[in-house]
Amino acid sequence: MSGRHTEEHIHTVEGTDPHLFVEVHEPAEGTDAGLRPVLLLHGFSSSTKLNWGDTGWISTLKSAGRRVITVDLPGHGQSSSPEDLDSYSPSRIRADLLQIVADAGARPVRAGDPTSGLDVIGYSLGSRLAWEFGATQPELVHRLVLGGPNKEDPLASFDLAAAQRYLADGTPIEDESTAGLLKMAQLLPSNDLFALLSLIEAIKGEPFDPAEAVPHMPMLLVAGEKDERAVTMPELASIAAHAGGMVEQLLVPGRNHSNAVTSRVFKDAALAFLGV
């Protein structure tokens, strides 16, 4: 395909179309680096456009000659909002992601072939999904970049009942984390709150335990130095290192969880880490 085109892809899992919005962005013309594709996974209450397009990640990767696969998670961006809870579960999302990258032409890592395999960059919730995807697809994932990672999933402690009471009659939410996450979800008028609450419920049903399944491929962990979640990043690095993985860590000066993703320092580090 020409390097000037972006194509929307449709895929099915076991004959069912999950109606996820998927695009494959080709390298800028004349720049193809001859390397494997890069999958981008956005955060909670975000989208491909907000997390990766508006922040310059897609254009940066394309300019570096990388082929980029993007997907809006269920209930986010231009993807649909399924009514069944299972569509939002991390395990179902991983199955969807596997089919998406296969449909886009990704193939298992083969020694000596730099076009084989898949690199994955995730941010926040996307990092949790990337960690589990790498752990369950070791033959496919070549390297991981996890931005804004957390050893504990903040969505796991979300008070669903309190959020539902607040949305129903305005009852104040006592838990600060729950109130903050809900406020973030409400900032975008396009967000489907029912879908986002369904995602949280499904995530609570499949708690994140990074030590249970550990990616063994090299990974780069990145967080803003002012990101309160960065305090657990060394623990994640230790879990991966003890499992035999090669781990690098980077704190981005002056950045927090909301704006680290826009950092040029972050982009440059990711490009260098994945450019092998």
Side-chain angles (χ1 to χ4, degrees):
M1 290 185 288
S2 167
R4 292 171 292 179
H5 294 304
T6 294
E7 293 191 358
E8 180 180 349
H9 283 223
I10 297 174
H11 76 284
T12 61
V13 177
E14 297 180 351
T16 301
D17 180 1
H19 300 289
L20 296 177
F21 182 72
V22 178
E23 290 185 308
V24 178
H25 312 259
E26 298 297 328
E29 193 163 7
T31 67
D32 194 332
L35 295 173
R36 59 198 58 82
V38 181
L39 172 67
L40 301 180
L41 299 176
H42 66 75
F44 175 74
S45 187
S46 188
S47 66
T48 292
K49 180 181 184 299
L50 290 173
N51 211 147
W52 307 118
D54 294 350
T55 58
W57 275 90
I58 295 174
S59 60
T60 296
L61 288 164
K62 287 174 60 177
S63 295
R66 302 303 295 265
R67 188 168 186 252
V68 182
I69 305 167
T70 59
V71 54
D72 284 341
L73 297 176
H76 292 73
Q78 297 185 62
S79 288
S80 69
S81 299
E83 294 185 2
D84 66 299
L85 191 62
D86 178 65
S87 292
Y88 299 92
S89 68
S91 54
R92 171 59 186 270
I93 291 173
R94 291 198 303 273
D96 286 334
L97 293 176
L98 181 59
Q99 189 63 56
I100 285 167
V101 297
D103 291 348
R107 50 201 172 82
V109 176
R110 188 171 61 190
D113 181 359
T115 68
S116 67
L118 177 75
D119 289 328
V120 184
I121 304 176
Y123 197 79
S124 198
L125 171 60
S127 286
R128 175 242 165 105
L129 295 172
W131 176 282
E132 293 176 321
F133 190 73
T136 55
Q137 301 299 326
E139 75 291 342
L140 177 64
V141 178
H142 172 254
R143 288 194 166 203
L144 291 171
V145 175
L146 309 183
N150 198 330
K151 181 175 175 287
E152 309 293 337
D153 189 342
L155 297 178
S157 59
F158 187 92
D159 190 334
L160 277 169
Q164 290 162 346
R165 287 194 299 271
Y166 172 80
L167 293 173
D169 57 21
T171 301
I173 300 174
E174 294 184 4
D175 179 63
E176 290 185 9
S177 176
T178 298
L181 286 167
L182 186 60
K183 181 179 180 180
M184 181 175 66
Q186 291 178 299
L187 286 176
L188 294 177
S190 59
N191 274 348
D192 183 332
L193 291 180
F194 166 79
L196 297 186
L197 292 180
S198 294
L199 173 66
I200 292 172
E201 183 177 356
I203 283 175
K204 289 168 75 70
E206 293 185 6
F208 179 46
D209 182 356
E212 184 175 306
V214 185
H216 289 181
M217 65 285 302
M219 69 175 73
L220 170 65
L221 306 180
V222 182
E225 67 172 355
K226 296 183 178 180
D227 184 352
E228 61 184 21
R229 303 180 191 181
V231 68
T232 68
M233 195 164 74
E235 296 179 64
L236 272 181
S238 178
I239 290 171
H242 284 142
M246 186 273 283
V247 188
E248 296 182 19
Q249 298 180 69
L250 172 66
L251 285 176
V252 182
R255 299 300 180 110
N256 57 34
H257 192 76
S258 297
N259 63 19
V261 72
T262 68
S263 166
R264 184 73 235 185
V265 172
F266 186 0
K267 295 184 185 75
D268 287 345
L271 284 174
F273 185 74
L274 299 181
V276 295

